């Protein structure tokens, strides 16, 4: 999904684009422990990758599931994340808090995949292509964001990763939520510059997204977008401009070994 954005940014940035564990070409370990797919574990993956490539400090941009990983990475490793960009999601704690009433049906899949292991995986596997395809279609307002080949690739990749995808979502209703609650109780915040770009979900579900984010991120810029959920593909120039502006707010990069 980052192919258009990454290509444009790579002219003057080093760009690292890993698949999350459990997705795409990354490993898909069996979820034999609640932490296997926690966002803390995934954030530690990010730190391990960047350090192996020689980077102690970096800007981190995430979309949806990746954005939840980015938030957890920023909370757990503030010394490493120079700036944080979030695309179309709320923090885990706030996501569950704003879902109420009939309008919460937009997030029905969150409740399905929050159920104990076994039944959700079987239900999704029975209609895998239709299940994953429904989100690609519903969240692409123009119907032109994906070619047929791209859509098929996403559906096939997801069908091949049902168990790990469900485990990721299940973690968001359990261990990830517990971590956010603990951080809220101790007053933890994202100390780096944070930028959020999102659809206006608040008007539908009755919340102020900017206010929710500012409770976590005092140094915040928030902007709404007219693009759909898959904004990095629908309007890559907008996302490149968003990331470029965010990067200018970050403190100067430090090199390995500097104080």
């Amino acid at each position: 999904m980052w192919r258009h954005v990454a290509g444009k940014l790579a002219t003057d940035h080093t760009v690292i684009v890993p698949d999350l564990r459990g997705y795409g070409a990354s490993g898909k370990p069996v979820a034999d422990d609640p932490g296997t797919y926690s966002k803390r574990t995934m954030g530690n993956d990010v730190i391990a990758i960047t350090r192996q490539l020689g980077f102690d400090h970096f800007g981190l941009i995430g979309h949806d599931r990746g954005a939840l990983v980015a938030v957890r990475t920023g909370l757990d490793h503030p010394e490493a994340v120079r700036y944080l960009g979030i695309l179309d999601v709320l923090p885990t704690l706030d996501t569950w808090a704003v879902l109420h009433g009939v309008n919460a049906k937009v997030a029905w899949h969150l409740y399905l995949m929050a159920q104990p292991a076994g039944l959700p995986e079987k239900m999704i596997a029975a209609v895998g292509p239709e299940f994953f395809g429904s989100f690609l279609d519903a969240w692409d307002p123009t119907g032109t964001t994906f070619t047929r080949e791209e859509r098929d690739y996403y559906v096939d990749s997801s069908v091949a990763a049902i168990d790990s995808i469900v485990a990721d979502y299940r973690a968001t209703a359990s261990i990830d939520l517990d971590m956010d609650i603990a951080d809220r109780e101790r007053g933890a915040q994202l100390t780096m510059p944070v930028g959020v770009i999102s659809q206006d979900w608040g008007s539908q579900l009755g919340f102020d997204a900017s206010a929710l984010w500012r409770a976590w991120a005092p140094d915040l810029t928030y902007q709404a977008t007219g693009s759909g959920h898959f904004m990095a593909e629908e309007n890559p120039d907008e996302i490149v401009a968003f990331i470029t502006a965010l990067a200018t707010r970050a403190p100067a990069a430090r090199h390995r070994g500097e104080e």
Side-chain angles (χ1 to χ4, degrees):
M1 66 162 287
W2 292 105
R3 60 196 179 281
H4 305 307
V5 172
K8 294 174 183 291
L9 289 175
T11 60
D12 52 11
H13 293 77
T14 297
V15 183
I16 304 167
V17 194
D19 286 340
L20 297 176
R21 67 163 56 200
Y23 290 83
S26 285
K28 301 171 179 62
V30 174
D32 53 6
D33 180 273
T36 303
Y37 286 94
S38 77
K39 304 310 161 289
R40 173 163 290 156
T41 299
M42 292 183 173
N44 289 339
D45 289 341
V46 172
I47 295 296
I49 291 168
T50 52
R51 286 179 178 170
Q52 184 174 349
L53 294 173
F55 300 99
D56 289 338
H57 310 89
F58 49 86
L60 184 58
I61 312 297
H63 172 265
D64 199 318
R65 312 307 299 170
L68 298 179
V69 174
V71 170
R72 177 46 53 194
T73 308
L75 289 168
D76 288 355
H77 303 279
E79 76 289 345
V81 181
R82 295 178 54 238
Y83 57 90
L84 186 63
I86 304 298
L87 277 62
D88 215 34
V89 82
L90 288 174
T92 298
L93 177 59
D94 298 295
T95 295
W96 292 111
V98 303
L99 295 174
H100 50 80
V102 69
N103 286 333
K105 68 181 184 294
V106 70
W108 66 275
H109 57 297
L110 300 183
Y111 294 93
L112 171 62
M113 291 190 278
Q115 303 310 309
L119 186 58
E121 292 87 342
K122 292 178 181 177
M123 293 175 67
I124 294 169
V127 289
E130 294 85 355
F131 177 82
F132 293 109
S134 70
F135 299 107
L136 293 172
D137 297 338
W139 296 344
D140 175 17
T142 67
T144 59
T145 298
F146 309 111
T147 66
R148 170 54 62 178
E149 291 76 17
E150 289 165 350
R151 186 183 184 280
D152 288 347
Y153 176 82
Y154 281 133
V155 169
D156 292 345
S157 296
S158 299
V159 169
I162 289 173
D163 287 357
S164 53
I165 289 174
V166 175
D168 166 39
Y169 277 80
R170 184 176 291 117
T172 298
S174 55
I175 189 171
D176 295 337
L177 180 58
D178 293 341
M179 292 176 188
D180 272 19
I181 291 172
D183 279 338
R184 174 56 55 85
E185 290 177 347
R186 69 184 181 88
Q189 292 184 316
L190 296 162
T191 56
M192 67 291 298
V194 176
V196 177
I197 184 168
S198 181
Q199 298 178 87
D200 188 14
W201 291 108
S203 63
Q204 177 179 348
L205 296 173
F207 64 85
D208 181 342
S210 179
L212 293 177
W213 273 109
R214 199 168 299 279
W216 292 98
D219 186 0
L220 175 76
T221 57
Y222 177 88
Q223 68 186 79
T225 178
S227 298
H229 183 61
F230 305 106
M231 56 191 70
E233 292 166 287
E234 183 181 342
N235 193 347
D237 288 338
E238 179 182 43
I239 302 306
V240 169
F242 163 77
I243 295 171
T244 301
L246 175 60
T248 64
R249 295 169 47 214
R254 294 181 297 170
H255 298 289
R256 184 188 292 270
E258 288 186 350
E259 295 298 327

